């Protein structure tokens, strides 16, 4: 858990490690026929019932995904840190309203997105005290060729995504990068499942059009 | 380490108190005006209309205020329907009642009666509106204005019910101007409340 200091009822949060580009939510279930629930949901439910220690699990399950999302959107560590802290503070404050059986991830992403939008609207008036560097992604060690290729591809993907309308980019990123289901992404964006599918599909088609040579090359290597 | 009182228990208690306090306002006003009376209206007409509007109020509250099983609330389409259909449903039931009891259409109400009903209806609805706003405070990061509109419409339905129990006028024109119009106005007020109360705002931790 990335809690640097703790006072009664108050956490000072530090940025978690940058997640891998694609995060698949961990789900587990024990009974046949009972839908499995994400760890974060179970932990949040315990936190709402008064088990303060469960906040660590909530944080560990959500923060890397939220931080990755916020960092990709803002490209500024200081702002992503601030927005992550605000998001977790909102979750903490609203724990008394948590609905048993509800999914915590779409809620957390929706809060983060709202705070991000507000922050971007205020952006021109704010002066960040920290660096404004663009994150280059995690250092995964000395597999030089693969890392270089992956980074080059990531940069090209970023460029293509940056040219897309915000709605398509966000839908694509929530599904492909953050691991949300289409239904969860629709909840976060306040729209229908069909609309999210369409937006993500258009984004995917744009990527396919721009990166067709790379994809063809990858398929060629596989066969 | 567990808190002395579970946050959820405390939250449920807080919301129950807010709702009880909110609905105490129209009840107190209603009692101050005297017990509900039919006046010259057919008792069956009053009972039918009151039961219908009670149903509308309950349905609007269920669909527009409660969040269902999601932390992000019910689907936007539901809240939009609540905001749009609540005044329409009140009007439709009033029209149906007027058709069922033709004698009620002969009533004539002046402009003063319209204004009094609008004022009292809105005052009666303010308690439920404040309670709903407290229940849904800082809870909608996606479409707070729409949620606010639904809260306004639901509270307006409750205000309309309370005023309907006391108002002796039955003409459709008066029902529209005196009883249904406040619901539309409260829906607009709800949009403002949604933006300021229901929306998520940046918070700063105390240093």
């Amino acid at each position: 858990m990335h809690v640097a200091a703790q006072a009664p009822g108050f956490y000072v949060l530090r940025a978690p490690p940058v997640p891998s580009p694609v995060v698949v939510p961990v789900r587990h279930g024990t009974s046949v026929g009972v839908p499995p629930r994400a760890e974060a949901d179970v932990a949040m439910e315990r936190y709402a019932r008064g088990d303060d220690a469960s906040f660590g699990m909530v944080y560990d399950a959500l923060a890397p995904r939220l931080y990755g999302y916020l960092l990709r959107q803002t490209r500024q560590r200081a702002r992503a840190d601030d927005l992550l802290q605000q998001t977790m503070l909102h979750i903490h404050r609203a724990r008394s309203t948590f609905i048993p059986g509800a999914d915590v991830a779409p809620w957390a992403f929706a809060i983060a997105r709202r705070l991000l939008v507000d922050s971007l609207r205020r952006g021109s008036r704010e002066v960040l005290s920290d660096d404004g560097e663009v994150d280059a992604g995690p250092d995964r060690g000395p597999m030089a060729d693969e890392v270089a290729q992956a980074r080059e591809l990531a940069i090209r993907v970023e460029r293509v995504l940056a040219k897309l309308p915000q709605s398509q980019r966000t839908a694509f990123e929530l599904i492909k990068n953050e691991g949300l289901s289409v239904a969860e992404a629709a909840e976060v964006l306040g729209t229908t499942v069909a609309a999210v599918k369409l937006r993500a599909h258009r984004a995917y088609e744009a990527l396919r059009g721009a990166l067709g040579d790379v994809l063809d090359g990858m398929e060629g290597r596989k066969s | 380490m567990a808190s002395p009182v579970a946050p959820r228990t405390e939250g449920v208690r807080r919301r129950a108190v807010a709702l009880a306090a909110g609905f105490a306002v129209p009840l107190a006003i209603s009692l101050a005006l005297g017990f509900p009376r039919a006046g010259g209206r057919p008792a069956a007409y009053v009972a039918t209309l009151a039961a219908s509007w009670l149903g509308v109020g309950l349905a609007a509250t269920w669909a527009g205020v409660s969040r269902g099983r999601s932390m992000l609330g019910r689907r936007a389409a539901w809240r939009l329907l609540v905001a749009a259909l609540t005044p329409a449903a009140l009007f439709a039931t009033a029209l149906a009642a007027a058709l069922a009891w033709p004698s009620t259409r002969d009533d004539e109400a002046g402009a003063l009666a319209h204004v009094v009903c609008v004022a009292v209806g809105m005052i009666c609805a303010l308690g439920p509106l404040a309670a709903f706003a407290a229940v849904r405070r800082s809870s909608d990061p996606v479409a707070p204005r729409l949620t606010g509109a639904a809260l306004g419409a639901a509270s307006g339905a409750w205000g309309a019910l309370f005023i309907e129990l006391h108002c002796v006028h039955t003409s459709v024109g008066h029902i529209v101007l005196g009883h249904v119009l406040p619901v539309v106005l409260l829906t607009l007020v709800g949009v403002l409340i949604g933006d300021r109360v229901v929306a998520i705002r940046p918070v700063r931790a105390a240093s």
Side-chain angles (χ1 to χ4, degrees):
Chain A
M1 180 184 170
H2 313 284
V3 177
Q6 186 178 345
F10 174 69
Y11 294 87
V12 176
L13 309 173
R14 289 278 182 263
V18 177
S20 55
V22 177
V23 179
V24 179
V26 178
R27 289 181 183 271
H28 60 86
T30 52
S31 313
V32 176
V34 177
R37 297 201 65 209
E39 267 178 37
D41 300 339
V42 177
M44 187 67 210
E45 211 157 309
R46 285 206 300 268
Y47 187 46
R49 282 202 301 262
D51 179 8
D52 290 349
S54 294
F55 184 70
M57 290 176 70
V58 175
Y59 187 90
D60 285 347
L62 291 177
R65 296 170 68 189
L66 290 171
Y67 185 69
Y69 168 70
L70 292 167
L71 192 56
R72 269 188 288 275
Q73 299 295 319
T74 61
R75 294 163 172 267
Q76 292 170 335
R77 286 201 171 103
R79 184 173 278 190
D81 282 346
D82 183 46
L83 291 170
L84 173 66
Q85 183 163 341
Q86 296 238 4
T87 303
M88 299 310 291
L89 195 53
H90 269 289
I91 290 172
H92 163 73
R93 285 187 170 188
R95 69 194 186 286
S96 65
T97 66
F98 189 74
I99 299 166
D103 292 336
V104 71
W107 178 48
F109 271 99
I111 294 172
R113 182 169 175 272
R114 170 53 49 203
L115 294 171
L116 172 70
V117 169
D118 286 348
S119 167
L120 293 176
R121 280 180 186 157
R122 291 194 316 270
S124 57
R125 297 195 299 271
E126 281 186 353
V127 178
L128 294 171
S129 59
D130 204 341
D131 59 33
E133 70 182 83
V134 177
D135 179 64
D139 185 0
R140 294 188 181 284
M143 296 181 291
D145 269 5
E146 286 182 13
V147 170
Q149 279 180 3
R151 283 196 173 158
E152 190 187 337
L153 182 62
I155 289 167
R156 289 183 65 181
V157 168
E158 272 298 314
R159 281 183 187 150
V160 176
L161 287 175
K163 288 178 188 166
L164 293 176
Q166 179 73 24
S167 60
Q168 290 179 19
R169 185 155 62 101
T170 308
F172 181 85
E173 286 177 343
L174 285 174
I175 294 167
K176 297 294 179 189
N177 289 345
E178 319 308 339
L180 295 187
S181 69
V182 176
E184 287 173 336
E187 267 198 281
V188 171
L189 298 173
T191 187
T192 61
V193 169
V196 170
K197 275 185 186 170
L198 187 64
R199 290 175 193 176
H201 177 71
R202 283 181 177 161
Y204 181 76
E205 286 299 312
L207 276 174
R208 195 174 176 79
L211 305 173
D213 55 331
V214 180
L215 295 174
D216 290 344
M218 286 168 72
E219 281 169 10
R221 279 200 297 275
K222 280 181 189 171
S223 57
Chain B
M1 184 182 69
S3 304
V5 179
R8 183 182 293 152
T9 309
E10 177 61 20
V12 168
R13 191 191 63 80
R14 245 195 340 259
R15 289 192 291 276
V17 167
L19 287 171
F23 277 86
V25 172
L27 280 172
I29 293 171
S30 187
L31 288 175
L33 292 172
F35 282 104
R37 59 205 162 104
R41 302 176 291 173
Y45 166 87
V46 177
T48 302
L49 207 50
S52 305
W53 286 18
L54 176 66
V56 172
L58 287 171
T61 303
W62 177 78
V65 181
S66 80
R67 288 189 289 187
R69 296 186 63 189
S70 167
M71 284 303 291
L72 294 173
R74 297 188 195 282
R75 281 159 48 183
W78 287 51
R79 284 170 281 162
L80 190 61
L81 282 178
V82 168
L85 289 187
T86 299
L90 295 175
F91 172 68
T93 49
L95 197 61
L99 291 172
W101 285 273
S103 63
T104 59
R105 281 180 272 167
D106 299 334
D107 174 68
E108 282 186 10
L112 182 62
H114 301 333
V115 173
V116 168
C117 280
V118 167
V120 177
M122 289 195 73
I123 291 169
C124 282
L126 284 181
L129 181 59
F132 294 157
V135 166
R136 292 299 307 266
R137 186 168 164 265
S138 293
S139 70
D140 192 339
V142 180
R145 288 179 185 173
L146 191 55
T147 301
L151 302 186
S155 63
W158 289 106
L161 170 64
F162 279 102
I163 196 66
E164 182 60 33
L165 292 173
H166 293 278
C167 177
V168 295
H169 295 293
T170 55
S171 69
V172 174
H174 175 73
I175 299 277
V176 170
L177 290 175
H179 302 188
V180 178
L181 180 62
V183 182
V184 178
L185 296 177
L186 283 158
T187 303
L188 298 176
V189 171
V191 173
L192 299 176
I193 286 177
D195 213 20
R196 285 162 178 74
V197 180
V198 181
I200 298 256
R201 295 267 172 234
V203 286
R204 295 286 164 191
S207 56

